Amino acid sequence: GGAVPFHHFIIEVVLTNMVLNGLILGVLAVGAGVIVTRVKAVQKQFAVLHQFTEAYKAKKPIAEVLQDPKVYFSGVGHVVVHLAGTEGKVSSGLVQTAINEELDHLEHHFKASYEVPNFIVDGLITLGLTGTFIDLLETMLGISAMLGGINAGGSGDMTEAIVGLIGELQKPLAGMGTAFSASLFGLIGSVTLGMMMLALKYSVDEFMSNMRRYINTVTEHDIEESSGKRISPKELMAAKGGVSESFL
């Protein structure tokens, strides 16, 4: 939206150096597509989690919901599959450990998906700076060649020399403008993808929070005293030991 008032300038700059600026804009488009794909993947997991939540409210068995292959092979399915045989009554430390490991693995899987977008964000700045240095080098070489031509011309009409100098300076100055436009596109593209990355990270954090909340909601943590008496979930919260703090 902010680029609309300057569209004439942007089109002119892109056409001036189609390869470099087109490459930067192309990388920006690819990065945006990658981040959108990552967000959609998180949304699919949200949909599966919502399906489990609705099934829990309807008091359907977890094993019945897991019969759907899309659910079973999802990240959420890999976590709750450990609850299918226990009907949510977890009294074994092994099951608690398995659930913890699956939750950590799922979170690590999502955070590993940050690597490619983060690389593209940094790569846009690098492309912009690289383009700037290349165009500045061409500008300096052009100015050097222009001054060498003036010195080789020897004595002559000063007015013609000045007019020729101004005409020759237009090309290096235009190249300098293209150089800084590459940095401009690189920085703006990096900021744009950075804001999209915030949305992706927020989605992952929100999903993992809801996932852990769901696990804690459907799970009953039972322990036995030495007398063999069962302790209810409410009593468990006041009891010491029984389940790990990290699981709670």
Side-chain angles (χ1 to χ4, degrees), residues 179-200:
F180 287 112
S181 69
S183 291
L184 179 66
F185 285 149
L187 288 173
I188 292 178
S190 177
V191 171
T192 302
L193 293 185
M195 290 189 294
M196 296 180 68
M197 280 297 297
L198 290 178
L200 174 60

Side-chain angles (χ1 to χ4, degrees), residues 55-163:
Y56 171 73
K57 292 179 180 179
K59 298 183 178 180
K60 293 182 179 179
I62 297 177
E64 181 180 337
V65 185
L66 284 171
Q67 291 179 357
D68 186 352
K70 294 182 179 179
V71 175
Y72 181 80
F73 292 104
S74 65
V76 179
H78 289 165
V79 177
V80 300
V81 70
H82 300 287
L83 301 175
T86 64
E87 294 298 330
K89 296 181 180 180
V90 177
S91 57
S92 171
L94 294 177
V95 177
Q96 296 171 17
T97 302
I99 294 176
N100 274 329
E101 290 179 351
E102 288 295 341
L103 285 172
D104 292 339
H105 175 75
L106 184 60
E107 186 173 8
H108 176 74
H109 170 73
F110 281 122
K111 290 188 176 181
S113 66
Y114 298 163
E115 295 181 3
V116 174
N118 284 332
F119 175 79
I120 295 177
V121 170
D122 296 335
L124 281 174
I125 299 178
T126 304
L127 282 175
L129 292 176
T130 302
T132 298
F133 291 142
I134 292 175
D135 287 333
L136 286 177
L137 180 61
E138 291 181 353
T139 300
M140 295 180 66
L141 292 176
I143 292 176
S144 177
M146 177 195 67
L147 294 177
I150 292 176
N151 292 332
S155 60
D157 189 0
M158 184 61 66
T159 304
E160 293 181 0
I162 293 176
V163 172

Side-chain angles (χ1 to χ4, degrees), residues 27-38 193 196:
V27 172
L28 172 61
V30 171
V34 170
I35 295 177
V36 169
T37 302
R38 299 290 193 271
L193 293 185
M196 296 180 68

